[in-house]
Amino acid sequence: MKIKKAIIPIAGKGTRFLPATKEIAKEIIPIINVPMIHYVVQEAVEAGIEQIIFVTSSGKFSVEDYFDRNQELEAFLERNNKTKDLELVRQIGMMVNVTAVRQKEQLGLGHAVLMAKNMVEGEPFAVLLGDDIVVNPVPAIKQLMNVSLANECANVIGVMEVPKEDTAKYGIVKGDMIDDRTLRMNGMVEKPKPEEAPTNLATPGRYILTPDIFEILEKIPRGAGNEYQLTDAINILCQRKNVLAYKFFGERFDTGNIHGYLDATIDFALKDPLFREKFIQSLQYRIKKYGINL
Ligand code: UTP
């Protein structure tokens, strides 16, 4: 079955980006001049997703507006013969069909996903976190879709290798490798100490799930942080259904934290011919200015 819908939860408070997130949605904060959410939606669209379901909270209107047409701006650009800008703005407004559902209380990622249950209408769906960017010619979520399709519409959790000493920062999957990139899961452990981690495969925010997850999300108790955790639901799902983990190809930037955000900004500036040369000059100057020995 073709996966047509993607849930993108963006209802979180984004406290790591305060004070900016006091007034603006974290997902609208740009990597150079493109909001981080643009990259996530683009990944879904390039994978063939036809409908994006944002799970939102108050103050997140700008994300929906960003993917809508802006007639006033378009008319202004047209009047001023700014053809390239006009084309860009129009394309974003027509990129994909967007709907939104509210999460009235921020009770965790599992709870956020559950809010979209009625919009998914019994079909397998994708989940992408709005503050995780993955760069790869074949979109990460497309790779997971392909694995799902090849395995009778299995649930597929995107994973990446992390250094063993970092396992305590992530949800870590457990199970048996069935080929060099795929693991048949029998559970997940939330933030295990390195010595207790079953693998070094972490779940950075890309999932293909079947609607079976909703029934579980409706019943699970609150978990870590007193929140309804998607991890806890996936753990139960592993006991009932075929759940695979797939080591997707691509570089992942955790733009929900300041270091990951800076890393993405530097990487994107260095790879863009528009900014590259001047940016390198700036870096060289600043490194000298602050007496940094590389
Ligand atoms: P984070 O753990 O990054 O939380 O959530 P956050 O609130 O965005 O940021 P910090 O930790 O306060 O800085 C991971 C993803 O899950 C969404 C967030 O919007 C983010 O995309 N989320 C989290 C929800 O939609 N609802 C929730 O209740 C919790």
Side-chain angles (χ1 to χ4, degrees), residues 9-16 26-27 103 106-109 112 130-131:
I10 55 165
K13 296 202 184 312
T15 53
R16 286 168 291 172
K26 172 173 71 178
E27 296 75 15
Q103 185 191 26
Q106 280 57 71
L107 299 179
L109 180 59
D131 55 4

Side-chain angles (χ1 to χ4, degrees), residues 73-90:
L73 177 61
E74 286 180 24
F76 170 82
L77 295 171
E78 199 159 19
R79 274 200 310 278
N80 290 280
N81 291 322
K82 303 231 174 225
T83 323
K84 241 176 110 190
D85 290 336
L86 176 63
E87 190 55 30
L88 176 69
V89 165
R90 263 200 193 135

Side-chain angles (χ1 to χ4, degrees), residues 114-125:
L114 181 58
M115 295 300 102
K117 177 185 171 188
N118 291 341
M119 298 202 144
V120 163
E121 294 170 331
E123 295 169 25
F125 57 94

Side-chain angles (χ1 to χ4, degrees), residues 161-279:
E161 283 180 5
V162 295
K164 196 82 179 165
E165 61 271 21
D166 286 347
T167 54
K169 296 182 194 157
Y170 300 94
I172 299 289
V173 301
K174 57 179 179 175
D176 307 302
M177 295 303 291
I178 51 178
D179 63 40
D180 59 345
R181 302 203 83 87
T182 321
L183 175 137
R184 190 169 307 286
M185 280 176 62
N186 56 31
M188 268 187 84
V189 195
E190 193 57 43
K191 303 188 170 68
K193 291 182 194 147
E195 59 277 18
E196 286 161 15
T199 64
N200 67 339
L201 298 174
T203 55
R206 294 293 183 274
Y207 312 81
I208 300 296
L209 295 170
T210 56
D212 307 286
I213 197 80
F214 293 123
E215 196 189 311
I216 302 171
L217 285 170
E218 274 163 349
K219 292 190 188 130
I220 51 165
R222 291 185 192 224
N226 203 26
E227 292 186 340
Y228 295 98
Q229 297 289 353
L230 186 60
T231 304
D232 292 345
I234 291 173
N235 227 335
I236 298 172
L237 191 65
C238 289
Q239 313 313 318
R240 300 186 187 168
K241 297 280 168 183
N242 192 11
V243 185
L244 303 173
Y246 181 73
K247 266 197 272 178
F248 58 79
F249 292 91
E251 186 171 7
R252 177 257 191 173
F253 297 95
D254 178 6
T255 52
N257 79 63
I258 302 280
H259 177 76
Y261 170 78
L262 280 176
D263 199 25
T265 305
I266 292 167
D267 188 276
F268 286 28
L270 287 175
K271 79 178 172 196
D272 190 328
L274 260 182
F275 306 117
R276 186 186 155 88
E277 223 167 283
K278 280 200 166 173
F279 185 59

